[in-house]
Amino acid sequence: VQLVESGGGLVQAGASLRLSCAASGSTSTINAMGWYRQAPGKQRELVASISRAGGITNYADSVKGRFTISRDNAKNMMYLQMNSLKPEDTAVYYCNALSTRLYWGQGTQITVSS
């Protein structure tokens, strides 16, 4: 399984962004997927996760009500809609996928200026 994130960038506080994660390879083996982020000097943390069929989602308290995770299995895509971005959301965002093992993308930088 290969994962490629896109959609990062530099935005002002209050703006919105949508991240995309494209999966390829043995995509039929993918179960749950998720978005993580890592800010400078901090540990990687879970942002949101989604079950295989998309019916179960989970969010970090810091993003609840602002971020929405979704996936389109027919297109092998996962998304993270991020609204009301804050400077503290600045980080490298990674997608991951649970298959026979855990796979990670290369990450995409999001910088939110105040």
mmCIF file of all heavy atoms in Angstrom, residues 11-17 37 62-68 81-89 93 112:
data_model
loop_
_atom_site.group_PDB
_atom_site.id
_atom_site.type_symbol
_atom_site.label_atom_id
_atom_site.label_comp_id
_atom_site.label_asym_id
_atom_site.label_seq_id
_atom_site.Cartn_x
_atom_site.Cartn_y
_atom_site.Cartn_z
ATOM 1 N N VAL A 11 -1.800 29.170 5.200
ATOM 2 C CA VAL A 11 -3.061 29.884 5.248
ATOM 3 C C VAL A 11 -3.100 30.763 6.491
ATOM 4 O O VAL A 11 -2.305 30.590 7.414
ATOM 5 C CB VAL A 11 -4.276 28.923 5.271
ATOM 6 C CG1 VAL A 11 -4.356 28.119 3.994
ATOM 7 C CG2 VAL A 11 -4.213 28.017 6.491
ATOM 8 N N GLN A 12 -4.057 31.683 6.506
ATOM 9 C CA GLN A 12 -4.256 32.530 7.676
ATOM 10 C C GLN A 12 -5.245 31.868 8.632
ATOM 11 O O GLN A 12 -6.060 31.021 8.227
ATOM 12 C CB GLN A 12 -4.779 33.897 7.259
ATOM 13 C CG GLN A 12 -3.760 34.748 6.519
ATOM 14 C CD GLN A 12 -4.226 36.172 6.317
ATOM 15 O OE1 GLN A 12 -5.414 36.428 6.216
ATOM 16 N NE2 GLN A 12 -3.281 37.098 6.255
ATOM 17 N N ALA A 13 -5.160 32.258 9.869
ATOM 18 C CA ALA A 13 -6.090 31.748 10.864
ATOM 19 C C ALA A 13 -7.530 32.004 10.422
ATOM 20 O O ALA A 13 -7.839 33.075 9.880
ATOM 21 C CB ALA A 13 -5.832 32.403 12.218
ATOM 22 N N GLY A 14 -8.379 31.003 10.646
ATOM 23 C CA GLY A 14 -9.772 31.109 10.250
ATOM 24 C C GLY A 14 -10.080 30.526 8.888
ATOM 25 O O GLY A 14 -11.257 30.335 8.543
ATOM 26 N N ALA A 15 -9.046 30.229 8.117
ATOM 27 C CA ALA A 15 -9.233 29.688 6.775
ATOM 28 C C ALA A 15 -9.573 28.201 6.819
ATOM 29 O O ALA A 15 -9.543 27.569 7.886
ATOM 30 C CB ALA A 15 -7.975 29.911 5.945
ATOM 31 N N SER A 16 -9.874 27.678 5.652
ATOM 32 C CA SER A 16 -10.182 26.255 5.503
ATOM 33 C C SER A 16 -9.225 25.623 4.502
ATOM 34 O O SER A 16 -8.737 26.284 3.585
ATOM 35 C CB SER A 16 -11.617 26.063 5.010
ATOM 36 O OG SER A 16 -12.557 26.559 5.944
ATOM 37 N N LEU A 17 -8.982 24.347 4.709
ATOM 38 C CA LEU A 17 -8.194 23.542 3.783
ATOM 39 C C LEU A 17 -8.784 22.153 3.732
ATOM 40 O O LEU A 17 -9.388 21.706 4.726
ATOM 41 C CB LEU A 17 -6.735 23.433 4.229
ATOM 42 C CG LEU A 17 -5.743 24.534 3.911
ATOM 43 C CD1 LEU A 17 -4.392 24.220 4.540
ATOM 44 C CD2 LEU A 17 -5.605 24.742 2.414
ATOM 45 N N ARG A 37 -0.748 14.224 12.941
ATOM 46 C CA ARG A 37 0.058 15.418 12.700
ATOM 47 C C ARG A 37 1.201 15.477 13.696
ATOM 48 O O ARG A 37 1.120 14.926 14.798
ATOM 49 C CB ARG A 37 -0.789 16.687 12.789
ATOM 50 C CG ARG A 37 -1.331 17.005 14.164
ATOM 51 C CD ARG A 37 -2.276 18.208 14.087
ATOM 52 N NE ARG A 37 -2.821 18.560 15.402
ATOM 53 C CZ ARG A 37 -3.760 19.485 15.577
ATOM 54 N NH1 ARG A 37 -4.278 20.138 14.537
ATOM 55 N NH2 ARG A 37 -4.185 19.750 16.790
ATOM 56 N N SER A 62 -9.063 18.517 20.258
ATOM 57 C CA SER A 62 -8.629 19.826 19.765
ATOM 58 C C SER A 62 -9.202 20.171 18.391
ATOM 59 O O SER A 62 -9.172 21.342 17.991
ATOM 60 C CB SER A 62 -7.103 19.882 19.706
ATOM 61 O OG SER A 62 -6.599 18.858 18.856
ATOM 62 N N VAL A 63 -9.711 19.187 17.670
ATOM 63 C CA VAL A 63 -10.229 19.461 16.328
ATOM 64 C C VAL A 63 -11.722 19.171 16.184
ATOM 65 O O VAL A 63 -12.299 19.421 15.123
ATOM 66 C CB VAL A 63 -9.453 18.674 15.251
ATOM 67 C CG1 VAL A 63 -7.956 18.939 15.375
ATOM 68 C CG2 VAL A 63 -9.755 17.181 15.325
ATOM 69 N N LYS A 64 -12.331 18.653 17.222
ATOM 70 C CA LYS A 64 -13.762 18.334 17.151
ATOM 71 C C LYS A 64 -14.566 19.575 16.811
ATOM 72 O O LYS A 64 -14.348 20.640 17.378
ATOM 73 C CB LYS A 64 -14.241 17.755 18.489
ATOM 74 C CG LYS A 64 -13.890 16.299 18.697
ATOM 75 C CD LYS A 64 -14.417 15.790 20.036
ATOM 76 C CE LYS A 64 -14.030 14.328 20.246
ATOM 77 N NZ LYS A 64 -14.463 13.829 21.574
ATOM 78 N N GLY A 65 -15.473 19.416 15.868
ATOM 79 C CA GLY A 65 -16.319 20.522 15.452
ATOM 80 C C GLY A 65 -15.700 21.384 14.371
ATOM 81 O O GLY A 65 -16.386 22.222 13.774
ATOM 82 N N ARG A 66 -14.411 21.203 14.107
ATOM 83 C CA ARG A 66 -13.732 21.997 13.073
ATOM 84 C C ARG A 66 -13.275 21.125 11.895
ATOM 85 O O ARG A 66 -13.262 21.582 10.755
ATOM 86 C CB ARG A 66 -12.509 22.702 13.652
ATOM 87 C CG ARG A 66 -12.832 23.676 14.769
ATOM 88 C CD ARG A 66 -11.607 24.507 15.173
ATOM 89 N NE ARG A 66 -10.518 23.674 15.692
ATOM 90 C CZ ARG A 66 -9.286 23.658 15.188
ATOM 91 N NH1 ARG A 66 -8.984 24.405 14.138
ATOM 92 N NH2 ARG A 66 -8.348 22.891 15.730
ATOM 93 N N PHE A 67 -12.855 19.895 12.182
ATOM 94 C CA PHE A 67 -12.337 19.004 11.150
ATOM 95 C C PHE A 67 -13.333 17.876 10.888
ATOM 96 O O PHE A 67 -14.027 17.420 11.804
ATOM 97 C CB PHE A 67 -11.010 18.370 11.591
ATOM 98 C CG PHE A 67 -9.849 19.321 11.682
ATOM 99 C CD1 PHE A 67 -10.011 20.696 11.585
ATOM 100 C CD2 PHE A 67 -8.567 18.825 11.873
ATOM 101 C CE1 PHE A 67 -8.943 21.566 11.681
ATOM 102 C CE2 PHE A 67 -7.478 19.669 11.967
ATOM 103 C CZ PHE A 67 -7.662 21.041 11.870
ATOM 104 N N THR A 68 -13.365 17.431 9.643
ATOM 105 C CA THR A 68 -14.211 16.302 9.267
ATOM 106 C C THR A 68 -13.419 15.333 8.404
ATOM 107 O O THR A 68 -12.860 15.733 7.381
ATOM 108 C CB THR A 68 -15.450 16.771 8.495
ATOM 109 O OG1 THR A 68 -16.190 17.701 9.288
ATOM 110 C CG2 THR A 68 -16.341 15.582 8.159
ATOM 111 N N GLN A 81 -11.324 17.572 5.893
ATOM 112 C CA GLN A 81 -11.786 18.949 5.732
ATOM 113 C C GLN A 81 -11.483 19.690 7.021
ATOM 114 O O GLN A 81 -11.955 19.298 8.089
ATOM 115 C CB GLN A 81 -13.287 18.986 5.436
ATOM 116 C CG GLN A 81 -13.852 20.388 5.307
ATOM 117 C CD GLN A 81 -13.295 21.139 4.118
ATOM 118 O OE1 GLN A 81 -13.153 20.580 3.027
ATOM 119 N NE2 GLN A 81 -12.972 22.408 4.316
ATOM 120 N N MET A 82 -10.711 20.741 6.906
ATOM 121 C CA MET A 82 -10.289 21.505 8.079
ATOM 122 C C MET A 82 -10.830 22.919 7.980
ATOM 123 O O MET A 82 -10.483 23.653 7.035
ATOM 124 C CB MET A 82 -8.760 21.524 8.173
ATOM 125 C CG MET A 82 -8.145 20.129 8.205
ATOM 126 S SD MET A 82 -6.357 20.186 8.334
ATOM 127 C CE MET A 82 -5.968 20.865 6.733
ATOM 128 N N ASN A 83 -11.677 23.292 8.914
ATOM 129 C CA ASN A 83 -12.256 24.628 8.953
ATOM 130 C C ASN A 83 -11.762 25.369 10.191
ATOM 131 O O ASN A 83 -11.288 24.755 11.155
ATOM 132 C CB ASN A 83 -13.779 24.540 8.971
ATOM 133 C CG ASN A 83 -14.341 23.874 7.742
ATOM 134 O OD1 ASN A 83 -13.794 23.987 6.638
ATOM 135 N ND2 ASN A 83 -15.445 23.165 7.907
ATOM 136 N N SER A 84 -11.902 26.666 10.153
ATOM 137 C CA SER A 84 -11.523 27.507 11.301
ATOM 138 C C SER A 84 -10.122 27.166 11.804
ATOM 139 O O SER A 84 -9.901 26.957 13.001
ATOM 140 C CB SER A 84 -12.542 27.348 12.434
ATOM 141 O OG SER A 84 -13.847 27.667 11.997
ATOM 142 N N LEU A 85 -9.193 27.127 10.890
ATOM 143 C CA LEU A 85 -7.832 26.741 11.253
ATOM 144 C C LEU A 85 -7.218 27.731 12.228
ATOM 145 O O LEU A 85 -7.465 28.945 12.161
ATOM 146 C CB LEU A 85 -6.976 26.607 10.011
ATOM 147 C CG LEU A 85 -7.207 25.315 9.217
ATOM 148 C CD1 LEU A 85 -6.681 25.442 7.807
ATOM 149 C CD2 LEU A 85 -6.557 24.140 9.934
ATOM 150 N N LYS A 86 -6.419 27.191 13.130
ATOM 151 C CA LYS A 86 -5.753 27.982 14.155
ATOM 152 C C LYS A 86 -4.236 27.828 14.009
ATOM 153 O O LYS A 86 -3.763 26.814 13.487
ATOM 154 C CB LYS A 86 -6.169 27.493 15.538
ATOM 155 C CG LYS A 86 -7.666 27.502 15.795
ATOM 156 C CD LYS A 86 -7.982 26.912 17.162
ATOM 157 C CE LYS A 86 -9.474 26.903 17.423
ATOM 158 N NZ LYS A 86 -9.799 26.319 18.757
ATOM 159 N N PRO A 87 -3.480 28.794 14.516
ATOM 160 C CA PRO A 87 -2.013 28.651 14.449
ATOM 161 C C PRO A 87 -1.517 27.348 15.084
ATOM 162 O O PRO A 87 -0.534 26.771 14.611
ATOM 163 C CB PRO A 87 -1.513 29.876 15.213
ATOM 164 C CG PRO A 87 -2.580 30.896 14.985
ATOM 165 C CD PRO A 87 -3.868 30.124 15.002
ATOM 166 N N GLU A 88 -2.201 26.887 16.111
ATOM 167 C CA GLU A 88 -1.787 25.640 16.770
ATOM 168 C C GLU A 88 -2.051 24.399 15.926
ATOM 169 O O GLU A 88 -1.644 23.292 16.302
ATOM 170 C CB GLU A 88 -2.445 25.488 18.147
ATOM 171 C CG GLU A 88 -3.931 25.685 18.155
ATOM 172 C CD GLU A 88 -4.334 27.107 18.546
ATOM 173 O OE1 GLU A 88 -3.714 28.068 18.046
ATOM 174 O OE2 GLU A 88 -5.294 27.232 19.352
ATOM 175 N N ASP A 89 -2.718 24.558 14.791
ATOM 176 C CA ASP A 89 -2.894 23.441 13.863
ATOM 177 C C ASP A 89 -1.670 23.272 12.955
ATOM 178 O O ASP A 89 -1.607 22.308 12.178
ATOM 179 C CB ASP A 89 -4.131 23.652 12.994
ATOM 180 C CG ASP A 89 -5.421 23.618 13.779
ATOM 181 O OD1 ASP A 89 -5.554 22.763 14.686
ATOM 182 O OD2 ASP A 89 -6.311 24.460 13.509
ATOM 183 N N TYR A 93 1.137 16.954 8.397
ATOM 184 C CA TYR A 93 0.001 16.048 8.502
ATOM 185 C C TYR A 93 0.285 14.784 7.682
ATOM 186 O O TYR A 93 0.696 14.863 6.521
ATOM 187 C CB TYR A 93 -1.268 16.730 8.008
ATOM 188 C CG TYR A 93 -1.831 17.704 8.997
ATOM 189 C CD1 TYR A 93 -1.167 18.902 9.286
ATOM 190 C CD2 TYR A 93 -3.010 17.433 9.686
ATOM 191 C CE1 TYR A 93 -1.665 19.795 10.226
ATOM 192 C CE2 TYR A 93 -3.523 18.326 10.624
ATOM 193 C CZ TYR A 93 -2.851 19.496 10.885
ATOM 194 O OH TYR A 93 -3.351 20.377 11.815
ATOM 195 N N VAL A 112 -0.354 27.673 9.612
ATOM 196 C CA VAL A 112 -1.443 28.612 9.841
ATOM 197 C C VAL A 112 -0.867 29.852 10.524
ATOM 198 O O VAL A 112 -0.357 29.760 11.645
ATOM 199 C CB VAL A 112 -2.554 27.994 10.707
ATOM 200 C CG1 VAL A 112 -3.727 28.975 10.833
ATOM 201 C CG2 VAL A 112 -3.025 26.674 10.121
#
